[in-house]
Amino acid sequence: MPGRTPFLAAFAAVYRGQLSRGKVARMPLMFVATLQSVGILLLLRGVVSVSDVTTCAQVVAGCTVLVVAFVALNLLAQRFGALRAAGALDYYLTLPVPGTAVVLGTAASYATFAVPGVVVTAVTGALLFDLPLSGLWVLAPVALLAGGSLAGIGAAAGLLAPRPELATIAGQLGMSIVLFLGIIPSDRLPGVGWLVRDVLPSSYAVDALTETFLPSVRWGIVALDLGVCALVAVVTLAAAAGALRRAGTA
């Protein structure tokens, strides 16, 4: 029996395979993921006062992370739900590769096509709301870590859902929650919404990006928020790998 394939080699193989498959739908994916976020920005531009810098920064950051959530939650839940329904998970489970490489490689392939949407949304939002562009280099770690933490949740939802239709609903519901809790400042959330927001990993990515749009950036807060995202990403991807093994043996 061959030895277990190292993680990086397994990740690269899964990534290339899923990337080749995803090229067919790359343009619709890029268009839809970007259009919905830019549309929300245009809508809120007529509602939110530009003088309220904190709220404007929150709106732009929330809409930017929404592009990541569209891929990591909605599309991944659908993809893994379809793989389970078709019995295609058995193929991956017979390979000597870590389950996290399968989940992360698939997530990364979809995230590649979302990168232009993340950049376009952030730049468009900053220009619409008169926010500085100097801190946008933080987009790279924000998108990476938010994508990792949400990808584990989306993959697990698709793998554990008994039917692909339920996986689709779960992904869309999760994306809606990310949107609602991302664009509204925590002190303005109704009821116990602030508590739900604190549990949601994407909230920390939104807060990190929001901080970079403010006049005086607290880099310690940015680093702390990104650290939380990184920790949650490890936990959720490990949970998704466990869900992959469970779904394959069910």
Side-chain angles (χ1 to χ4, degrees):
M1 294 292 292
R4 191 173 182 82
T5 305
F7 174 83
L8 290 179
F11 167 80
V14 174
Y15 173 78
R16 287 194 299 267
Q18 293 295 328
L19 188 65
S20 298
R21 177 193 174 278
K23 286 181 179 179
V24 179
R26 65 183 182 276
M27 290 308 296
L29 170 61
M30 292 168 57
F31 178 77
V32 173
T34 307
L35 181 63
Q36 64 177 355
S37 291
V38 173
I40 294 171
L41 285 174
L42 292 173
L43 174 65
L44 293 178
R45 178 61 181 83
V47 178
V48 178
S49 173
V50 180
S51 60
D52 189 349
V53 179
T54 302
T55 301
C56 291
Q58 185 87 35
V59 167
V60 176
C63 289
T64 302
V65 174
L66 177 63
V67 179
V68 179
F70 177 82
V71 175
L73 287 176
N74 192 12
L75 295 183
L76 273 186
Q78 294 181 43
R79 174 60 177 157
F80 279 104
L83 286 174
R84 179 181 180 183
L89 296 178
D90 295 337
Y91 166 74
Y92 289 106
L93 292 173
T94 57
L95 300 176
V97 299
T100 50
V102 176
V103 174
L104 194 56
T106 304
S109 67
Y110 278 88
T112 300
F113 301 124
V115 169
V118 170
V119 176
V120 168
T121 301
V123 173
T124 302
L127 295 176
L128 280 174
F129 290 90
D130 296 331
L131 298 174
L133 297 171
S134 57
L136 282 188
W137 61 268
V138 178
L139 272 179
V142 164
L144 177 64
L145 297 177
S149 59
L150 293 176
I153 299 174
L159 291 166
L160 297 177
R163 297 197 307 272
E165 295 83 2
L166 295 178
T168 299
I169 293 174
Q172 292 176 343
L173 179 60
M175 187 182 67
S176 300
I177 294 174
V178 169
L179 169 62
F180 179 75
L181 298 180
I183 64 175
I184 302 177
S186 58
D187 57 347
R188 301 182 188 178
L189 287 172
V192 294
W194 61 270
L195 181 60
V196 180
R197 188 182 189 278
D198 287 344
V199 176
L200 194 65
S202 62
S203 300
Y204 298 93
V206 171
D207 289 344
L209 187 56
T210 299
E211 189 69 31
T212 64
F213 287 126
L214 300 180
S216 180
V217 182
R218 297 171 295 177
W219 292 109
I221 300 297
V222 174
L224 179 61
D225 287 332
L226 293 178
V228 173
C229 281
L231 179 61
V232 174
V234 172
V235 174
T236 56
L237 289 171
L244 176 65
R245 291 189 294 269
R246 178 181 175 183
T249 56

PDB file of all heavy atoms in Angstrom, residues 31-47:
ATOM      1  N   PHE A  31     -19.353  37.103 -11.658  1.00  0.00           N
ATOM      2  CA  PHE A  31     -20.361  38.142 -11.877  1.00  0.00           C
ATOM      3  C   PHE A  31     -21.361  38.195 -10.736  1.00  0.00           C
ATOM      4  O   PHE A  31     -21.642  39.265 -10.184  1.00  0.00           O
ATOM      5  CB  PHE A  31     -21.067  37.886 -13.211  1.00  0.00           C
ATOM      6  CG  PHE A  31     -22.152  38.884 -13.507  1.00  0.00           C
ATOM      7  CD1 PHE A  31     -21.836  40.156 -13.955  1.00  0.00           C
ATOM      8  CD2 PHE A  31     -23.489  38.550 -13.338  1.00  0.00           C
ATOM      9  CE1 PHE A  31     -22.839  41.087 -14.227  1.00  0.00           C
ATOM     10  CE2 PHE A  31     -24.486  39.466 -13.611  1.00  0.00           C
ATOM     11  CZ  PHE A  31     -24.162  40.743 -14.055  1.00  0.00           C
ATOM     12  N   VAL A  32     -21.921  37.032 -10.371  1.00  0.00           N
ATOM     13  CA  VAL A  32     -22.954  36.994  -9.329  1.00  0.00           C
ATOM     14  C   VAL A  32     -22.381  37.398  -7.977  1.00  0.00           C
ATOM     15  O   VAL A  32     -22.990  38.183  -7.234  1.00  0.00           O
ATOM     16  CB  VAL A  32     -23.583  35.585  -9.257  1.00  0.00           C
ATOM     17  CG1 VAL A  32     -24.532  35.496  -8.066  1.00  0.00           C
ATOM     18  CG2 VAL A  32     -24.327  35.272 -10.537  1.00  0.00           C
ATOM     19  N   ALA A  33     -21.207  36.868  -7.636  1.00  0.00           N
ATOM     20  CA  ALA A  33     -20.606  37.159  -6.333  1.00  0.00           C
ATOM     21  C   ALA A  33     -20.313  38.642  -6.184  1.00  0.00           C
ATOM     22  O   ALA A  33     -20.431  39.202  -5.084  1.00  0.00           O
ATOM     23  CB  ALA A  33     -19.322  36.351  -6.162  1.00  0.00           C
ATOM     24  N   THR A  34     -19.938  39.293  -7.274  1.00  0.00           N
ATOM     25  CA  THR A  34     -19.615  40.718  -7.226  1.00  0.00           C
ATOM     26  C   THR A  34     -20.858  41.586  -7.316  1.00  0.00           C
ATOM     27  O   THR A  34     -20.996  42.579  -6.583  1.00  0.00           O
ATOM     28  CB  THR A  34     -18.651  41.088  -8.370  1.00  0.00           C
ATOM     29  OG1 THR A  34     -17.516  40.213  -8.332  1.00  0.00           O
ATOM     30  CG2 THR A  34     -18.187  42.525  -8.246  1.00  0.00           C
ATOM     31  N   LEU A  35     -21.782  41.214  -8.201  1.00  0.00           N
ATOM     32  CA  LEU A  35     -22.962  42.046  -8.451  1.00  0.00           C
ATOM     33  C   LEU A  35     -23.808  42.231  -7.203  1.00  0.00           C
ATOM     34  O   LEU A  35     -24.264  43.340  -6.916  1.00  0.00           O
ATOM     35  CB  LEU A  35     -23.806  41.431  -9.570  1.00  0.00           C
ATOM     36  CG  LEU A  35     -25.074  42.208  -9.949  1.00  0.00           C
ATOM     37  CD1 LEU A  35     -24.697  43.592 -10.491  1.00  0.00           C
ATOM     38  CD2 LEU A  35     -25.895  41.428 -10.971  1.00  0.00           C
ATOM     39  N   GLN A  36     -24.015  41.159  -6.437  1.00  0.00           N
ATOM     40  CA  GLN A  36     -24.880  41.299  -5.275  1.00  0.00           C
ATOM     41  C   GLN A  36     -24.270  42.217  -4.220  1.00  0.00           C
ATOM     42  O   GLN A  36     -24.976  43.027  -3.602  1.00  0.00           O
ATOM     43  CB  GLN A  36     -25.184  39.923  -4.676  1.00  0.00           C
ATOM     44  CG  GLN A  36     -23.997  39.185  -4.119  1.00  0.00           C
ATOM     45  CD  GLN A  36     -24.406  37.858  -3.485  1.00  0.00           C
ATOM     46  OE1 GLN A  36     -25.582  37.545  -3.383  1.00  0.00           O
ATOM     47  NE2 GLN A  36     -23.427  37.085  -3.058  1.00  0.00           N
ATOM     48  N   SER A  37     -22.961  42.132  -4.020  1.00  0.00           N
ATOM     49  CA  SER A  37     -22.322  42.977  -3.019  1.00  0.00           C
ATOM     50  C   SER A  37     -22.262  44.430  -3.460  1.00  0.00           C
ATOM     51  O   SER A  37     -22.534  45.344  -2.670  1.00  0.00           O
ATOM     52  CB  SER A  37     -20.907  42.460  -2.731  1.00  0.00           C
ATOM     53  OG  SER A  37     -20.947  41.224  -2.047  1.00  0.00           O
ATOM     54  N   VAL A  38     -21.913  44.668  -4.717  1.00  0.00           N
ATOM     55  CA  VAL A  38     -21.882  46.037  -5.225  1.00  0.00           C
ATOM     56  C   VAL A  38     -23.287  46.632  -5.234  1.00  0.00           C
ATOM     57  O   VAL A  38     -23.483  47.822  -4.938  1.00  0.00           O
ATOM     58  CB  VAL A  38     -21.264  46.079  -6.635  1.00  0.00           C
ATOM     59  CG1 VAL A  38     -21.390  47.469  -7.238  1.00  0.00           C
ATOM     60  CG2 VAL A  38     -19.796  45.665  -6.578  1.00  0.00           C
ATOM     61  N   GLY A  39     -24.291  45.815  -5.546  1.00  0.00           N
ATOM     62  CA  GLY A  39     -25.669  46.290  -5.512  1.00  0.00           C
ATOM     63  C   GLY A  39     -26.086  46.728  -4.123  1.00  0.00           C
ATOM     64  O   GLY A  39     -26.761  47.759  -3.963  1.00  0.00           O
ATOM     65  N   ILE A  40     -25.690  45.984  -3.104  1.00  0.00           N
ATOM     66  CA  ILE A  40     -26.007  46.367  -1.718  1.00  0.00           C
ATOM     67  C   ILE A  40     -25.295  47.661  -1.346  1.00  0.00           C
ATOM     68  O   ILE A  40     -25.855  48.522  -0.666  1.00  0.00           O
ATOM     69  CB  ILE A  40     -25.629  45.227  -0.763  1.00  0.00           C
ATOM     70  CG1 ILE A  40     -26.506  44.004  -1.031  1.00  0.00           C
ATOM     71  CG2 ILE A  40     -25.780  45.663   0.692  1.00  0.00           C
ATOM     72  CD1 ILE A  40     -26.071  42.764  -0.283  1.00  0.00           C
ATOM     73  N   LEU A  41     -24.053  47.811  -1.806  1.00  0.00           N
ATOM     74  CA  LEU A  41     -23.316  49.051  -1.546  1.00  0.00           C
ATOM     75  C   LEU A  41     -24.030  50.253  -2.150  1.00  0.00           C
ATOM     76  O   LEU A  41     -24.174  51.304  -1.506  1.00  0.00           O
ATOM     77  CB  LEU A  41     -21.902  48.949  -2.128  1.00  0.00           C
ATOM     78  CG  LEU A  41     -20.899  48.079  -1.371  1.00  0.00           C
ATOM     79  CD1 LEU A  41     -19.606  47.960  -2.159  1.00  0.00           C
ATOM     80  CD2 LEU A  41     -20.622  48.654   0.016  1.00  0.00           C
ATOM     81  N   LEU A  42     -24.481  50.109  -3.386  1.00  0.00           N
ATOM     82  CA  LEU A  42     -25.185  51.211  -4.053  1.00  0.00           C
ATOM     83  C   LEU A  42     -26.493  51.541  -3.340  1.00  0.00           C
ATOM     84  O   LEU A  42     -26.875  52.712  -3.215  1.00  0.00           O
ATOM     85  CB  LEU A  42     -25.456  50.842  -5.512  1.00  0.00           C
ATOM     86  CG  LEU A  42     -24.215  50.731  -6.414  1.00  0.00           C
ATOM     87  CD1 LEU A  42     -24.609  50.186  -7.782  1.00  0.00           C
ATOM     88  CD2 LEU A  42     -23.536  52.084  -6.556  1.00  0.00           C
ATOM     89  N   LEU A  43     -27.182  50.508  -2.873  1.00  0.00           N
ATOM     90  CA  LEU A  43     -28.433  50.719  -2.159  1.00  0.00           C
ATOM     91  C   LEU A  43     -28.203  51.482  -0.855  1.00  0.00           C
ATOM     92  O   LEU A  43     -28.894  52.455  -0.552  1.00  0.00           O
ATOM     93  CB  LEU A  43     -29.099  49.372  -1.880  1.00  0.00           C
ATOM     94  CG  LEU A  43     -30.358  49.392  -1.003  1.00  0.00           C
ATOM     95  CD1 LEU A  43     -31.474  50.147  -1.708  1.00  0.00           C
ATOM     96  CD2 LEU A  43     -30.803  47.972  -0.674  1.00  0.00           C
ATOM     97  N   LEU A  44     -27.205  51.041  -0.091  1.00  0.00           N
ATOM     98  CA  LEU A  44     -26.957  51.660   1.204  1.00  0.00           C
ATOM     99  C   LEU A  44     -26.298  53.028   1.085  1.00  0.00           C
ATOM    100  O   LEU A  44     -26.341  53.813   2.032  1.00  0.00           O
ATOM    101  CB  LEU A  44     -26.085  50.728   2.055  1.00  0.00           C
ATOM    102  CG  LEU A  44     -26.747  49.416   2.470  1.00  0.00           C
ATOM    103  CD1 LEU A  44     -25.786  48.549   3.271  1.00  0.00           C
ATOM    104  CD2 LEU A  44     -28.008  49.686   3.288  1.00  0.00           C
ATOM    105  N   ARG A  45     -25.696  53.295  -0.062  1.00  0.00           N
ATOM    106  CA  ARG A  45     -25.090  54.627  -0.252  1.00  0.00           C
ATOM    107  C   ARG A  45     -26.152  55.712  -0.178  1.00  0.00           C
ATOM    108  O   ARG A  45     -25.870  56.847   0.244  1.00  0.00           O
ATOM    109  CB  ARG A  45     -24.373  54.675  -1.614  1.00  0.00           C
ATOM    110  CG  ARG A  45     -23.744  56.026  -1.942  1.00  0.00           C
ATOM    111  CD  ARG A  45     -22.693  56.389  -0.907  1.00  0.00           C
ATOM    112  NE  ARG A  45     -22.102  57.689  -1.190  1.00  0.00           N
ATOM    113  CZ  ARG A  45     -22.637  58.848  -0.845  1.00  0.00           C
ATOM    114  NH1 ARG A  45     -23.788  58.879  -0.175  1.00  0.00           N
ATOM    115  NH2 ARG A  45     -22.032  59.990  -1.138  1.00  0.00           N
ATOM    116  N   GLY A  46     -27.370  55.390  -0.555  1.00  0.00           N
ATOM    117  CA  GLY A  46     -28.443  56.371  -0.479  1.00  0.00           C
ATOM    118  C   GLY A  46     -29.096  56.447   0.881  1.00  0.00           C
ATOM    119  O   GLY A  46     -29.981  57.275   1.092  1.00  0.00           O
ATOM    120  N   VAL A  47     -28.670  55.575   1.802  1.00  0.00           N
ATOM    121  CA  VAL A  47     -29.289  55.529   3.133  1.00  0.00           C
ATOM    122  C   VAL A  47     -28.325  55.988   4.219  1.00  0.00           C
ATOM    123  O   VAL A  47     -28.705  56.726   5.132  1.00  0.00           O
ATOM    124  CB  VAL A  47     -29.791  54.102   3.436  1.00  0.00           C
ATOM    125  CG1 VAL A  47     -30.392  54.032   4.837  1.00  0.00           C
ATOM    126  CG2 VAL A  47     -30.802  53.659   2.396  1.00  0.00           C
TER     127      VAL A  47
END
